[in-house]
Amino acid sequence: MYDHIIIRYGEISLKGKNRKGFITSLKKRVKQVLTDYDSIEVHQSFDRMVVKLNGANHEPVINKLKTVFGIHSLSVAIKTEHDLDLIKEKALQLVEDQQRGESMTFKVTVRRPFKQFPHRSQDMNRDIGGFVLRNTENLTVDVHNPGMELKVEVKQDGAYLSCNNSVGAGGLPTVQDNKVMLMLSGGIDSPVAGYLTMKRGVKVEAVHFHSPPFTSERSRQKVEDLVKVLTRYGGDIRLHIVPFTNTQKTIQKEMPDNYSMTIMRRMMMRITEKLAEQNHALAIATGESLGQVASQTIQSMNTINEVTNYPILRPLISMDKLEIMKISRAIDLYDISIRPYEDCCTVFLPEAPKTKPKREHANKFEQYLPVDELVQEAVAGVETIIINEKDEEFSDLL
Ligand code: ATP
Ligand code: MG
């Protein structure tokens, strides 16, 4: 029955002169997620995009489109010719399909940008509404708060009829040049931070610090699986695995226990900054949330942040753990994040990390650490893999 999907832009609409570029990026991504459907066509216009299904089933297509950033809402639609009787007939079919026999309130909203169509919007509202009411049961009109809104748009190429909108992923479409390095552990927070960073229209590359044999192959696999889920939203993602064992052992041996966590984080920052430089990323994203653990007090952030002047994006900064977990579950990351494998930070975590570390102390201690060599060695040992969006079914991971 449905032959089209209407995609509505969100914030893109506010973009003035840059709007065209965003729409082009969005169209590219829409086509990417629908590559498996040979028959589908995507047409863009100033205020929306229309996917012509050409026989494809709308449900899986809608599900794919719900992962695309830059889409505010979408709805399935039926297209008809410029013929009022046909429009009424299709309107009835659509309402019946959405109503599924339940009692419901509804309203009709007609827009007629194509003024050559010889019926005024107000007349059509009444005409179509009356026809639908006469031919259905358990349906009443409520113009203020309808359970279902039937939208009819009469455009130059035909009339589009659609009902209830599905909510899109929101945000902005990915601009490939806007790249951010995501510091990705195997925990709950940083993958969510990755998702929220991507949502703002940037491409991420992930950096993971790995300390074999203290951290296992399985903990590395967990990170690869998390990245795999993120590719649903951003396409292929490069993952940089940093060998961190030597740095951690050296810190453990040479640095005071209560500063080891702070200094380890400073080392992570330095290494990530180098990788950002090498890969043309302009910022670093983390899963930090203010006050959550010892390393995330405002004093800790101040001392850790000292070693880089790259912008640090912390999309979770104000969120409670429960809010973060909610997003994690909603986008299928949670079950992977809670797999019980060790992380390099927890393995080396001191008994009592300083919650208010000072910059001057960290700097003083680091004079006894071969900082540059450790950074160079770690960067030289990085293994970069590309996690593809396609390859396997996601259900295998969950
Ligand atoms: P997460 O749930 O993301 O692991 P967390 O609550 O465990 O975060 P921390 O251990 O303090 O918090 O880590 C803070 C941030 O540092 C993480 O969100 C992540 O961005 C980064 N980070 C921690 N461990 C690693 C790692 N092994 N590799 C890369 N980044 C890491
Ligand atoms: Mg963690």
Side-chain angles (χ1 to χ4, degrees), residues 182-191 207-210 261 265 268 285-288 292-293 295-296 321 343-345:
L182 167 69
M183 295 178 69
L184 184 68
S185 71
I188 293 171
D189 302 335
S190 43
V207 178
H208 178 68
F209 292 84
H210 184 49
M261 199 251 329
R265 289 253 179 255
M268 282 186 171
T286 74
E288 291 163 301
Q292 199 185 76
V293 288
S295 61
Q296 297 174 22
K321 195 77 187 182
D343 179 68
C344 72
C345 300

Side-chain angles (χ1 to χ4, degrees), residues 89-219:
E89 220 171 89
K90 293 287 180 189
L92 178 61
Q93 273 181 25
L94 203 155
V95 168
E96 280 175 338
D97 183 62
Q98 298 281 329
Q99 188 193 4
R100 295 187 193 278
E102 288 176 27
S103 24
M104 228 182 230
T105 56
F106 100 126
K107 94 179 216 191
V108 183
T109 310
V110 179
R111 281 184 56 233
R112 187 184 52 136
F114 181 61
K115 298 293 180 217
Q116 281 90 319
F117 191 63
H119 303 277
R120 297 202 349 246
S121 306
Q122 277 313 319
D123 299 340
M124 273 197 279
N125 267 342
R126 233 175 300 117
D127 223 14
I128 298 170
F131 181 78
V132 171
L133 280 178
R134 279 195 301 281
N135 290 287
T136 45
E137 283 172 15
N138 302 327
L139 204 61
T140 45
V141 173
D142 181 346
V143 288
H144 301 296
N145 194 17
M148 178 191 341
E149 184 179 0
L150 168 66
K151 289 186 189 147
V152 180
E153 282 183 272
V154 185
K155 298 212 150 205
Q156 187 166 5
D157 61 334
Y160 292 83
L161 287 75
S162 63
C163 250
N164 301 348
N165 293 341
S166 310
V167 181
L172 294 168
T174 315
V175 177
Q176 299 291 325
D177 294 345
N178 296 347
K179 204 191 283 174
V180 171
M181 290 319 247
L182 167 69
M183 295 178 69
L184 184 68
S185 71
I188 293 171
D189 302 335
S190 43
V192 173
Y195 167 80
L196 293 174
T197 305
M198 292 195 295
K199 184 173 176 183
R200 298 311 301 169
V202 300
K203 181 88 192 151
V204 302
E205 292 197 8
V207 178
H208 178 68
F209 292 84
H210 184 49
S211 299
F214 304 100
T215 54
S216 64
E217 248 334 277
R218 283 184 305 180
S219 72

Side-chain angles (χ1 to χ4, degrees), residues 186-189 191 222 226 328 333-341:
I188 293 171
D189 302 335
K222 178 181 175 183
L226 287 167
S328 173
L333 290 166
Y334 189 74
D335 288 344
I336 303 175
S337 283
I338 58 169
R339 284 187 208 156
Y341 307 127

